[in-house]
Amino acid sequence: MLKRITTQSSVKLKCLGVTIYKRKLNSNEQFFFKNVFVIKRDNGYKKISFLGLNILSKKLPVKSNVLNPDNNLYNNSEIISDVQKKLWFTPLTPEEHLWNELQPAKYSSRTRCVVILPIYKGLDESLCSIYHALKSRTTDEYSLLVINDAGPDKELNLKLDELSQKGLFDYHLNKKNLGFVKTINFAISNLSHNLDVILLNSDAFVFEGWFERMIDYADNDKSIATITPMSNNATICSYPFTCQDNNKVLEITPAELDQLAAKINKGSYIEAPTGVGFCFYMRREVIDKIGMLDDNAFKVGYGEENDFCMRVLHAGFKNIIIGDVFVFHVGSVSFSAIKAENMKKGENALKLKHPNYLNMVHHFLHVDPALILRRNLDIARLKLKLENRKTVVIVSHAWDGGINTYLRQIVKKYKNQNIDCILLKVHDKKYYSIEVPENYHIELPNLQNLSLSCDFGFLDLFFKTIQPDLIHINSFAGLDWHHHEKLLYYFASSDWNYKFIIHDYACMSYDYKLLSPEYIYKGLPTLAQRNIWNNWKSLPADYEVNISDAIEKHKAYNLFFNKCSKIEAPTYRTRDIILYDFPEINIDVIPHENVFKNIAPAKRNKDKDKIKIASIGALSIEKGSQVLAALAVDAKNRDLKLSYFLVGYSNPTDQHVMQTNNVKVTGKYQNDEECINQLRKISPDLILLPSIWEETFSYTLSIALALKIPTLVFDIGAQGERSKDHNWVVKLDPLLMHNPRGISDLILNLNIDKLWNEASN
């Protein structure tokens, strides 16, 4: 019988119990019938021996390095498997010559702290962990104590004994297996010279400078009892996703991430109810006061550090998570087979000793103070990705509509100039999110739903880290006035180079649209009139979000405008409206690019019985949802030969009215192409754009003009200005906004055939 056996260090084939083939994963050696026939790859050569005699030596082509924390350990390894390629780091036993390059880390009179590295099994992980603990030691202030709990892996035990004979570390072998917690306690009480200790798991990997950064916290604050660094796999200390095993490869190595953390999070820490034992500093003074790990309640290694941390809090000391050290952690190798059972035992013991422990952790996770450390690392990675290329940060709101078409257009424009774009979207009264183009292939999960409350510290750190060449500001819509105003003053008081594109009337109007609270178009209301609107009862929700004294708003925007490097408006009417309040500023009129210029005109498919009329987009009240709903009601009530369509959607109330009065609503479209295809399918006689505010541009109008379908708009704003040279666009008197019967009668009396003929010429 042929049997394949795979371990963490080798692959074997056995036949009737006899090993006929063995391949070591860490050394590129293959053995047939033990040492009878051996194939070995070493130092760039492939060597074959038979009965100990070399029969072939051949130089191998150069292959790429195996992914590893340092990018330089395993130059001669074979190409890793498809599974390994998807992992961030696969620990392998270092090659023999690398051990000879290390300095010893044995205890001396200069030792400040003892790093305790308990070993049981896991050949590759354990040796790789020891190697990194030695290689990353830049001073002699810590010694390395490797303690072997009578592990079952003979190959590992032999290697540990060999390395200890070289004097690389202090080594102790338990005569019998004590279990993880008793082994640690034995090391703390008998082998660590009454010094502070750091517990380092045998599957955790540290990098240069880690200890110095870590111990600084303990030296500077005697109330700190435990310290835990960040890691890819350490529950509340995990990065980039918290409480997850982040073993998926990032765009940088763990060692590079540690260096980024050292800079961006220098001196930054948070207090926590517990630490995590993969890399865990313990102050000796606190150990002497509250005792060591509880090896009675926690025998197998789950929950003992949590219990210790709770006792730390009871004694008046602190547990902290630090942001400027990153340690890679594979996971619980030694206990993988019975992990679930042992974790349950540890959890029960914690509940018994500390009934409030789970509540404290729950509250910690809910508040997530570690986000401060994670988001800083996201920013540092983003900066590294930019590689000092020219960068523009585009500030905009998160609402749907024409802004998305504009953003795609402007990002493409910058990209054609070899300028990278980062999108900063404001939303939900006080939040903002930072996004990057998909082709960056970088996950930044901690840059979503960031708060503008309290201070602008992180926002300022973001800009100072990225150092954009330009901040391209479109809109602050979606913020409440408090945070809106804070952003205005932030930019006005900064040295950043920023330009402003006018997409709405936020600088003048409480609802961005210059409409009264009852959604009535008033032309250009005076500053005094706008201020009076503040005092009206039962203001709409969006008014309450943006409510402010009109004079204060004018003052804040005046300062903001005076520091702008450039102000642009897409239409002359938009410019003139802004100049009504701000006559001293300079505004360049630069129309948005026509993104629909290559669209083939629509073909008309008449319905003998009814006139088909289509509206486009996400219809809010200011976009004319109530106009369309009222027209549908009028058509149904009077049995008019008018059939309405909405290519898009509306607010629930108005959409219900529309659908109960025979408006066919197609739903939200994913892109402009889908919208255009829907229009071709419907083949309307007319397009109605019922917006009741002075649009600044209107991409839905651009679609109508590109398709050359006769269109109805109110003769205000950009919709009136941009259609003035098109005879087949019907400009409606604004007085008709609240006269649906008048609009219906006008449509019924239109010479639609003539409009189509004019559109085709």
Side-chain angles (χ1 to χ4, degrees), residues 23 28 63-64 66 76-82 84-85:
R23 177 167 64 89
N28 299 313
K63 297 179 180 179
S64 59
V66 174
N76 303 316
S77 297
E78 290 183 322
I79 297 176
I80 52 180
S81 68
D82 289 339
Q84 287 176 311
K85 285 180 181 178

Side-chain angles (χ1 to χ4, degrees), residues 86-155:
K86 297 176 183 178
L87 302 180
W88 194 1
F89 166 51
T90 302
L92 299 172
T93 300
E95 295 176 2
E96 192 61 37
H97 70 92
L98 294 174
W99 295 107
N100 298 326
E101 299 170 2
L102 299 175
Q103 295 297 315
K106 294 175 70 68
Y107 169 77
S108 72
S109 60
R110 289 182 54 82
T111 301
R112 161 73 175 82
C113 180
V114 176
V115 176
I116 301 173
L117 205 160
I119 299 291
Y120 182 65
K121 64 180 181 180
L123 177 70
D124 290 314
E125 292 85 356
S126 299
L127 293 178
C128 193
S129 179
I130 293 170
Y131 176 83
H132 277 81
L134 293 169
K135 182 176 182 292
S136 302
R137 186 172 178 261
T138 57
T139 70
D140 56 2
E141 290 193 351
Y142 76 82
S143 62
L144 178 63
L145 168 64
V146 176
I147 182 166
N148 185 344
D149 190 21
D153 190 327
K154 293 181 180 179
E155 185 178 357

Side-chain angles (χ1 to χ4, degrees), residues 99 146 196 498 743:
W99 295 107
V146 176
D196 295 351
Y498 65 90
I743 297 174

Side-chain angles (χ1 to χ4, degrees), residues 202-488:
S202 60
D203 58 352
F205 311 97
V206 294
F207 308 105
E208 186 173 329
W210 73 281
F211 174 77
E212 290 74 20
R213 281 172 265 148
M214 197 169 184
I215 207 67
D216 273 349
Y217 293 94
D219 290 341
N220 293 329
D221 187 346
K222 300 301 181 183
S223 69
I224 293 174
T226 74
I227 304 172
T228 309
M230 299 183 74
S231 176
N232 60 296
N233 182 12
T235 61
I236 60 176
C237 308
S238 294
Y239 175 85
F241 293 94
T242 187
C243 294
Q244 289 189 28
D245 180 357
N246 298 281
N247 211 10
K248 182 180 178 181
V249 64
L250 295 187
E251 74 287 349
I252 58 174
T253 67
E256 290 171 333
L257 185 59
D258 177 59
Q259 292 305 305
L260 289 183
K263 295 177 182 178
I264 197 74
N265 279 330
K266 183 178 181 180
S268 298
Y269 73 91
I270 59 161
E271 293 187 40
T274 184
V276 185
F278 73 101
C279 182
F280 186 64
Y281 164 85
M282 302 168 68
R283 187 184 293 277
R284 174 64 63 169
E285 175 189 342
V286 177
I287 296 173
D288 292 341
K289 185 172 182 178
I290 70 173
M292 296 183 292
L293 303 178
D294 186 343
D295 55 23
N296 183 46
F298 306 93
K299 292 182 172 64
V300 293
Y302 285 95
E304 75 285 347
E305 78 271 28
N306 312 102
D307 166 64
F308 184 84
C309 288
M310 290 298 287
R311 289 187 280 130
V312 160
L313 297 179
H314 297 164
F317 292 92
K318 293 189 296 194
N319 308 300
I320 69 169
I321 298 170
I322 60 175
D324 53 1
V325 176
F326 182 87
V327 176
F328 190 87
H329 182 215
V330 172
S332 299
V333 173
S334 299
F335 308 114
S336 57
I338 56 172
K339 180 176 179 179
E341 180 184 348
N342 289 335
M343 288 185 72
K344 187 65 177 177
K345 290 179 180 178
E347 182 180 320
N348 290 336
L350 271 174
K351 286 180 181 178
L352 184 63
K353 292 191 69 175
H354 308 287
N356 63 329
Y357 173 76
L358 291 180
N359 284 336
M360 292 186 70
V361 172
H362 171 78
H363 294 318
F364 179 89
L365 292 173
H366 178 71
V367 176
D368 194 14
L371 173 63
I372 295 170
L373 308 177
R374 298 196 307 273
R375 69 187 187 184
N376 288 356
L377 267 180
D378 276 6
I379 292 259
R381 286 172 51 220
L382 177 56
K383 176 61 178 178
L384 188 67
K385 187 76 174 180
L386 293 172
E387 297 179 340
N388 296 316
R389 297 190 297 271
K390 283 190 174 182
T391 305
V392 170
V393 174
I394 302 174
V395 180
S396 190
H397 61 69
W399 296 341
D400 283 332
I403 189 66
N404 292 325
T405 300
Y406 171 80
L407 290 174
R408 287 192 295 270
Q409 170 190 334
I410 203 66
V411 167
K412 182 180 179 181
K413 180 179 178 181
Y414 282 125
K415 183 179 179 181
N416 290 339
Q417 300 172 20
N418 293 317
I419 298 175
D420 287 322
C421 292
I422 300 171
L423 195 60
L424 190 155
K425 286 189 174 182
V426 298
H427 54 91
D428 300 316
K429 298 186 179 181
K430 65 174 183 178
Y431 295 101
Y432 66 101
S433 298
I434 297 169
E435 302 174 3
V436 295
E438 289 183 4
N439 61 357
Y440 272 39
H441 303 297
I442 180 172
E443 279 192 300
L444 303 171
N446 304 292
L447 299 184
Q448 300 296 306
N449 301 314
L450 303 168
S451 177
L452 290 167
S453 295
C454 299
D455 68 5
F456 274 36
F458 180 70
L459 183 71
D460 194 46
L461 176 66
F462 164 71
F463 283 116
K464 286 179 177 176
T465 302
I466 299 302
Q467 290 288 317
D469 297 273
L470 175 67
I471 302 173
H472 180 120
I473 302 174
N474 295 305
S475 175
F476 300 122
L479 295 178
D480 61 30
W481 173 244
H482 172 71
H483 297 96
H484 186 151
E485 183 181 33
K486 285 180 72 174
L487 273 179
L488 293 174

